[in-house]
Amino acid sequence: MSYKIIIDSCGEFLDEWKDDERFESVPLTLNVGGETVIDDDTFDQAEFLKKVAACPECPKSACPSPERYMKAYECEADHIYA
């Protein structure tokens, strides 16, 4: 039985799972001052917090799109857990 586990980027995987194709994190998007920031491995929290502090508007976030989740489902696993 093969499986895949899909989470959004609010969740965390153990370090040993991060390079395992059976585990995938689908990133949220964050919007601050008209700029879209992707919450993936390139996310720089310190830089994001500086942008939030400098912006007069409240930051916003968005869940991953259904299409982005469906892309994560494109695999050979017998069972997928999200």
Side-chain angles (χ1 to χ4, degrees):
M1 174 188 91
S2 62
Y3 66 91
K4 183 173 185 178
I5 297 174
I6 303 167
I7 62 172
D8 69 30
S9 57
C10 284
E12 294 185 32
F13 287 128
L14 297 174
D15 287 338
E16 57 264 27
W17 295 349
K18 291 180 180 178
D19 293 327
D20 187 327
E21 66 184 22
R22 294 175 297 176
F23 301 90
E24 185 171 347
S25 178
V26 180
L28 298 165
T29 56
L30 307 166
N31 298 294
V32 60
E35 181 179 349
T36 299
V37 179
I38 306 298
D39 184 22
D40 61 8
D41 292 339
T42 65
F43 180 73
D44 183 335
Q45 184 179 28
E47 184 63 29
F48 177 73
L49 292 175
K50 286 180 190 176
K51 291 177 184 183
V52 169
C55 184
E57 300 170 356
C58 183
K60 300 174 185 170
S61 64
C63 294
S65 69
E67 291 83 8
R68 180 57 186 88
Y69 272 110
M70 289 306 297
K71 182 178 178 187
Y73 277 66
E74 295 173 3
C75 65
E76 299 296 321
D78 295 323
H79 301 277
I80 299 174
Y81 304 95

